[in-house]
């Protein structure tokens, strides 16, 4: 008996929750950094923040869907937990790297903009 369908369902629920929660958190709290980058222009900040959120959702949902295509056959409960943990851990790792890259990019852009405007 294979547990693949159960693994897909559990992974999909966990992934959707993580992607949605992290996206909303970054969207709400990241606005301050983008607002500073755009010199307190709220309309431009909100538009950019919304575009970043959509790109975030598309990138991470696409990655999560790709994980279904190369999933190994799960034949036991132990393999079920291990496969879900491995795939979820990889997703969280990618989220972390992407977040730190984006924060570094915003930081360096804002430093550069404020240096040249002074």
């Amino acid at each position: 008996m294979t547990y693949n369908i159960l693994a897909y369902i559990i992974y999909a629920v966990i992934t959707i929750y993580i992607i949605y929660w992290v996206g909303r958190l970054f969207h709400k709290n990241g606005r301050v950094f983008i607002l500073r980058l755009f010199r307190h222009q709220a309309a431009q900040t909100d538009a950019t923040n919304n575009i970043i959120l959509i790109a975030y959702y598309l990138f991470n949902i696409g990655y999560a869907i790709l994980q279904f295509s190369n999933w190994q056959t799960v034949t036991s409960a132990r393999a079920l937990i291990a496969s879900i943990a491995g795939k979820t851990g990889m997703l969280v790792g990618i989220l972390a790297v992407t977040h730190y890259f984006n924060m570094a990019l915003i930081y360096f852009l804002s430093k550069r903009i404020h240096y040249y405007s002074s």
Side-chain angles (χ1 to χ4, degrees):
M1 172 177 161
T2 65
Y3 291 91
N4 280 54
I5 300 299
L6 181 61
Y8 298 160
I9 293 169
I10 294 170
Y11 175 72
V13 169
I14 292 170
T15 300
I16 289 169
Y17 176 75
I18 290 173
I19 290 172
Y20 177 76
W21 183 75
V22 170
R24 281 285 159 222
L25 186 69
F26 288 165
H27 183 261
K28 182 179 76 170
N29 295 325
R31 185 180 186 279
V32 174
F33 299 103
I34 299 171
L35 191 62
R36 181 173 182 258
L37 179 65
F38 289 132
R39 296 184 185 179
H40 303 285
Q41 296 177 358
Q44 189 176 13
T45 296
D46 292 337
T48 302
N49 201 18
N50 290 336
I51 290 170
I52 291 171
L53 180 65
I54 296 300
Y56 163 84
Y57 283 146
L58 291 174
F59 176 77
N60 288 298
I61 289 170
Y63 172 78
I65 290 171
L66 280 176
Q67 292 305 304
F68 291 123
S69 67
N70 60 5
W71 207 302
Q72 307 248 334
T73 303
V74 180
T75 57
S76 68
R78 178 179 288 175
L80 173 79
I81 293 169
S83 65
I84 292 171
K87 304 267 184 208
T88 304
M90 185 64 105
L91 176 73
V92 171
I94 288 173
L95 288 174
V97 168
T98 305
H99 171 66
Y100 285 117
F101 173 76
N102 288 340
M103 289 305 300
L105 181 65
I106 289 171
Y107 173 76
F108 289 121
L109 285 175
S110 68
K111 284 288 190 190
R112 185 175 182 192
I113 288 170
H114 289 289
Y115 175 75
Y116 286 116
S117 67
S118 305

